[in-house]
Amino acid sequence: QVQLVESGGGLVQAGGSLRLSCAASGSIFSINAMGWYRQAPGKQRELVARIISGGDTNYANSVNGRFTISRDNAKNTVYLQMNSLKPEDTGVYYCNADVTTLTRHEYRYWGQGTQVTVSA
């Protein structure tokens, strides 16, 4: 079993910054990729940013240049630094991880989500 625990969400004014963290723990052999998704009220969940084990990243066009994803492989933790936040960034942010478990099975796990609210 693998658990993902997110932290760092909250309420911030437009133009402000937040840093999200997501720590993975449990029966982990390796983590191949980690990412952040978000879901705004009434909308589908969408990819925000993703980072693979080699360090390559990709971002949604809407956040490119404002958000930075990074990971600490030793801590099985992924971060999302969010700068110049806009009201349209509001939503529940979920992290996920593509994990190879100790039994060598591959699964995608999700965190419980953390609320980010950006006021105008």
Side-chain angles (χ1 to χ4, degrees):
Q1 189 74 0
V2 174
Q3 298 81 37
L4 301 182
V5 178
E6 299 135 335
S7 60
L11 173 65
V12 65
Q13 288 187 334
S17 298
L18 283 174
R19 187 185 192 221
L20 305 182
S21 300
C22 174
S25 62
S27 303
I28 299 170
F29 174 75
S30 65
I31 300 179
N32 308 310
M34 301 186 81
W36 289 95
Y37 287 69
R38 68 186 178 192
Q39 188 165 19
K43 294 187 176 181
Q44 290 188 332
R45 190 175 298 189
E46 62 175 1
L47 173 69
V48 176
R50 188 164 171 82
I51 184 168
I52 64 174
S53 58
D56 288 347
T57 59
N58 64 287
Y59 296 91
N61 289 337
S62 59
V63 307
N64 205 13
R66 299 187 296 122
F67 291 11
T68 302
I69 188 170
S70 60
R71 63 188 283 181
D72 184 333
N73 292 328
K75 296 181 179 180
N76 289 333
T77 299
V78 64
Y79 306 96
L80 186 67
Q81 178 66 43
M82 305 186 294
N83 298 328
S84 302
L85 282 160
K86 304 175 181 180
E88 52 263 44
D89 294 318
T90 294
V92 179
Y93 283 67
Y94 299 90
C95 76
N96 70 10
D98 294 337
V99 176
T100 301
T101 66
L102 295 177
T103 57
R104 302 303 191 268
H105 293 95
E106 297 182 357
Y107 299 106
R108 173 169 288 186
Y109 293 92
W110 290 87
Q112 79 285 357
T114 185
Q115 177 71 43
V116 171
T117 303
V118 184
S119 62

